[in-house]
PDB file of all heavy atoms in Angstrom:
ATOM      1  N   ARG P 970     -38.464 -18.438  51.439  1.00  0.00           N
ATOM      2  CA  ARG P 970     -39.744 -17.820  51.139  1.00  0.00           C
ATOM      3  C   ARG P 970     -40.911 -18.791  51.306  1.00  0.00           C
ATOM      4  O   ARG P 970     -41.919 -18.445  51.898  1.00  0.00           O
ATOM      5  CB  ARG P 970     -39.733 -17.282  49.708  1.00  0.00           C
ATOM      6  CG  ARG P 970     -39.763 -15.762  49.692  1.00  0.00           C
ATOM      7  CD  ARG P 970     -39.506 -15.233  48.314  1.00  0.00           C
ATOM      8  NE  ARG P 970     -38.081 -14.981  48.133  1.00  0.00           N
ATOM      9  CZ  ARG P 970     -37.524 -14.650  46.963  1.00  0.00           C
ATOM     10  NH1 ARG P 970     -38.264 -14.568  45.884  1.00  0.00           N
ATOM     11  NH2 ARG P 970     -36.248 -14.412  46.893  1.00  0.00           N
ATOM     12  N   GLU P 971     -40.723 -19.982  50.760  1.00  0.00           N
ATOM     13  CA  GLU P 971     -41.863 -20.906  50.767  1.00  0.00           C
ATOM     14  C   GLU P 971     -42.044 -21.590  52.108  1.00  0.00           C
ATOM     15  O   GLU P 971     -43.168 -21.883  52.521  1.00  0.00           O
ATOM     16  CB  GLU P 971     -41.675 -21.954  49.652  1.00  0.00           C
ATOM     17  CG  GLU P 971     -41.768 -21.334  48.263  1.00  0.00           C
ATOM     18  CD  GLU P 971     -41.374 -22.301  47.154  1.00  0.00           C
ATOM     19  OE1 GLU P 971     -41.548 -23.528  47.344  1.00  0.00           O
ATOM     20  OE2 GLU P 971     -40.880 -21.839  46.107  1.00  0.00           O
ATOM     21  N   LEU P 972     -40.908 -21.890  52.775  1.00  0.00           N
ATOM     22  CA  LEU P 972     -41.036 -22.620  54.054  1.00  0.00           C
ATOM     23  C   LEU P 972     -40.766 -21.708  55.242  1.00  0.00           C
ATOM     24  O   LEU P 972     -40.876 -22.129  56.398  1.00  0.00           O
ATOM     25  CB  LEU P 972     -40.081 -23.809  54.088  1.00  0.00           C
ATOM     26  CG  LEU P 972     -40.225 -24.817  52.936  1.00  0.00           C
ATOM     27  CD1 LEU P 972     -39.191 -25.909  53.038  1.00  0.00           C
ATOM     28  CD2 LEU P 972     -41.636 -25.411  52.929  1.00  0.00           C
ATOM     29  N   GLY P 973     -40.414 -20.455  54.956  1.00  0.00           N
ATOM     30  CA  GLY P 973     -40.223 -19.485  56.030  1.00  0.00           C
ATOM     31  C   GLY P 973     -39.022 -19.761  56.914  1.00  0.00           C
ATOM     32  O   GLY P 973     -38.977 -19.362  58.075  1.00  0.00           O
ATOM     33  N   LEU P 974     -38.038 -20.501  56.374  1.00  0.00           N
ATOM     34  CA  LEU P 974     -36.876 -20.822  57.183  1.00  0.00           C
ATOM     35  C   LEU P 974     -35.862 -19.670  57.152  1.00  0.00           C
ATOM     36  O   LEU P 974     -35.551 -19.151  56.090  1.00  0.00           O
ATOM     37  CB  LEU P 974     -36.185 -22.084  56.645  1.00  0.00           C
ATOM     38  CG  LEU P 974     -37.037 -23.357  56.567  1.00  0.00           C
ATOM     39  CD1 LEU P 974     -36.224 -24.491  55.955  1.00  0.00           C
ATOM     40  CD2 LEU P 974     -37.558 -23.746  57.940  1.00  0.00           C
ATOM     41  N   PRO P 975     -35.369 -19.258  58.297  1.00  0.00           N
ATOM     42  CA  PRO P 975     -34.282 -18.264  58.297  1.00  0.00           C
ATOM     43  C   PRO P 975     -33.000 -18.888  57.747  1.00  0.00           C
ATOM     44  O   PRO P 975     -32.764 -20.078  57.923  1.00  0.00           O
ATOM     45  CB  PRO P 975     -34.126 -17.891  59.763  1.00  0.00           C
ATOM     46  CG  PRO P 975     -34.819 -18.934  60.536  1.00  0.00           C
ATOM     47  CD  PRO P 975     -35.743 -19.711  59.649  1.00  0.00           C
ATOM     48  N   ILE P 976     -32.217 -18.056  57.087  1.00  0.00           N
ATOM     49  CA  ILE P 976     -30.961 -18.531  56.483  1.00  0.00           C
ATOM     50  C   ILE P 976     -29.803 -17.908  57.243  1.00  0.00           C
ATOM     51  O   ILE P 976     -29.696 -16.670  57.317  1.00  0.00           O
ATOM     52  CB  ILE P 976     -30.869 -18.129  55.000  1.00  0.00           C
ATOM     53  CG1 ILE P 976     -32.155 -18.451  54.214  1.00  0.00           C
ATOM     54  CG2 ILE P 976     -29.652 -18.763  54.335  1.00  0.00           C
ATOM     55  CD1 ILE P 976     -32.437 -19.907  53.990  1.00  0.00           C
ATOM     56  N   TYR P 977     -28.945 -18.752  57.830  1.00  0.00           N
ATOM     57  CA  TYR P 977     -27.756 -18.253  58.515  1.00  0.00           C
ATOM     58  C   TYR P 977     -26.524 -18.661  57.715  1.00  0.00           C
ATOM     59  O   TYR P 977     -26.445 -19.800  57.248  1.00  0.00           O
ATOM     60  CB  TYR P 977     -27.673 -18.836  59.927  1.00  0.00           C
ATOM     61  CG  TYR P 977     -28.879 -18.485  60.769  1.00  0.00           C
ATOM     62  CD1 TYR P 977     -29.872 -19.437  61.026  1.00  0.00           C
ATOM     63  CD2 TYR P 977     -29.036 -17.189  61.292  1.00  0.00           C
ATOM     64  CE1 TYR P 977     -30.986 -19.120  61.771  1.00  0.00           C
ATOM     65  CE2 TYR P 977     -30.154 -16.871  62.022  1.00  0.00           C
ATOM     66  CZ  TYR P 977     -31.131 -17.835  62.272  1.00  0.00           C
ATOM     67  OH  TYR P 977     -32.252 -17.506  62.991  1.00  0.00           O
ATOM     68  N   CYS P 978     -25.632 -17.713  57.584  1.00  0.00           N
ATOM     69  CA  CYS P 978     -24.452 -17.998  56.763  1.00  0.00           C
ATOM     70  C   CYS P 978     -23.202 -17.993  57.630  1.00  0.00           C
ATOM     71  O   CYS P 978     -22.980 -17.070  58.407  1.00  0.00           O
ATOM     72  CB  CYS P 978     -24.290 -16.952  55.663  1.00  0.00           C
ATOM     73  SG  CYS P 978     -25.720 -16.887  54.579  1.00  0.00           S
ATOM     74  N   LEU P 979     -22.394 -19.027  57.426  1.00  0.00           N
ATOM     75  CA  LEU P 979     -21.099 -19.087  58.104  1.00  0.00           C
ATOM     76  C   LEU P 979     -20.022 -19.013  57.026  1.00  0.00           C
ATOM     77  O   LEU P 979     -19.822 -19.958  56.271  1.00  0.00           O
ATOM     78  CB  LEU P 979     -20.977 -20.393  58.906  1.00  0.00           C
ATOM     79  CG  LEU P 979     -19.652 -20.565  59.646  1.00  0.00           C
ATOM     80  CD1 LEU P 979     -19.461 -19.494  60.716  1.00  0.00           C
ATOM     81  CD2 LEU P 979     -19.549 -21.952  60.266  1.00  0.00           C
ATOM     82  N   LEU P 980     -19.389 -17.842  56.976  1.00  0.00           N
ATOM     83  CA  LEU P 980     -18.447 -17.579  55.885  1.00  0.00           C
ATOM     84  C   LEU P 980     -17.123 -17.112  56.459  1.00  0.00           C
ATOM     85  O   LEU P 980     -17.033 -16.748  57.636  1.00  0.00           O
ATOM     86  CB  LEU P 980     -19.013 -16.519  54.935  1.00  0.00           C
ATOM     87  CG  LEU P 980     -20.408 -16.843  54.374  1.00  0.00           C
ATOM     88  CD1 LEU P 980     -21.069 -15.595  53.833  1.00  0.00           C
ATOM     89  CD2 LEU P 980     -20.333 -17.923  53.306  1.00  0.00           C
ATOM     90  N   ASP P 981     -16.084 -17.120  55.627  1.00  0.00           N
ATOM     91  CA  ASP P 981     -14.760 -16.683  56.079  1.00  0.00           C
ATOM     92  C   ASP P 981     -14.783 -15.208  56.443  1.00  0.00           C
ATOM     93  O   ASP P 981     -15.599 -14.435  55.937  1.00  0.00           O
ATOM     94  CB  ASP P 981     -13.714 -16.898  54.973  1.00  0.00           C
ATOM     95  CG  ASP P 981     -13.415 -18.380  54.780  1.00  0.00           C
ATOM     96  OD1 ASP P 981     -13.804 -19.183  55.663  1.00  0.00           O
ATOM     97  OD2 ASP P 981     -12.812 -18.734  53.739  1.00  0.00           O
ATOM     98  N   CYS P 982     -13.837 -14.848  57.301  1.00  0.00           N
ATOM     99  CA  CYS P 982     -13.702 -13.445  57.661  1.00  0.00           C
ATOM    100  C   CYS P 982     -12.703 -12.792  56.724  1.00  0.00           C
ATOM    101  O   CYS P 982     -11.540 -12.625  57.050  1.00  0.00           O
ATOM    102  CB  CYS P 982     -13.223 -13.326  59.120  1.00  0.00           C
ATOM    103  SG  CYS P 982     -12.913 -11.627  59.607  1.00  0.00           S
ATOM    104  N   ASP P 983     -13.183 -12.510  55.518  1.00  0.00           N
ATOM    105  CA  ASP P 983     -12.350 -11.804  54.540  1.00  0.00           C
ATOM    106  C   ASP P 983     -13.289 -11.143  53.541  1.00  0.00           C
ATOM    107  O   ASP P 983     -14.496 -11.426  53.525  1.00  0.00           O
ATOM    108  CB  ASP P 983     -11.347 -12.768  53.874  1.00  0.00           C
ATOM    109  CG  ASP P 983     -12.018 -13.917  53.143  1.00  0.00           C
ATOM    110  OD1 ASP P 983     -13.244 -13.834  52.885  1.00  0.00           O
ATOM    111  OD2 ASP P 983     -11.334 -14.908  52.816  1.00  0.00           O
ATOM    112  N   PRO P 984     -12.774 -10.254  52.684  1.00  0.00           N
ATOM    113  CA  PRO P 984     -13.663  -9.541  51.737  1.00  0.00           C
ATOM    114  C   PRO P 984     -14.440 -10.505  50.852  1.00  0.00           C
ATOM    115  O   PRO P 984     -15.593 -10.228  50.502  1.00  0.00           O
ATOM    116  CB  PRO P 984     -12.695  -8.699  50.906  1.00  0.00           C
ATOM    117  CG  PRO P 984     -11.521  -8.516  51.783  1.00  0.00           C
ATOM    118  CD  PRO P 984     -11.399  -9.756  52.593  1.00  0.00           C
ATOM    119  N   TRP P 985     -13.855 -11.600  50.509  1.00  0.00           N
ATOM    120  CA  TRP P 985     -14.526 -12.580  49.657  1.00  0.00           C
ATOM    121  C   TRP P 985     -15.757 -13.147  50.371  1.00  0.00           C
ATOM    122  O   TRP P 985     -16.832 -13.248  49.791  1.00  0.00           O
ATOM    123  CB  TRP P 985     -13.535 -13.691  49.301  1.00  0.00           C
ATOM    124  CG  TRP P 985     -14.069 -14.769  48.396  1.00  0.00           C
ATOM    125  CD1 TRP P 985     -14.088 -16.097  48.664  1.00  0.00           C
ATOM    126  CD2 TRP P 985     -14.655 -14.607  47.107  1.00  0.00           C
ATOM    127  NE1 TRP P 985     -14.639 -16.787  47.636  1.00  0.00           N
ATOM    128  CE2 TRP P 985     -15.008 -15.890  46.647  1.00  0.00           C
ATOM    129  CE3 TRP P 985     -14.929 -13.507  46.293  1.00  0.00           C
ATOM    130  CZ2 TRP P 985     -15.612 -16.119  45.421  1.00  0.00           C
ATOM    131  CZ3 TRP P 985     -15.533 -13.731  45.073  1.00  0.00           C
ATOM    132  CH2 TRP P 985     -15.862 -15.022  44.642  1.00  0.00           C
TER     133      TRP P 985
END
Side-chain angles (χ1 to χ4, degrees):
Chain P
R970 248 170 268 172
E971 293 171 28
L972 304 177
L974 302 177
I976 312 290
Y977 301 104
C978 301
L979 179 64
L980 305 162
D981 289 346
C982 176
D983 60 16
W985 181 236

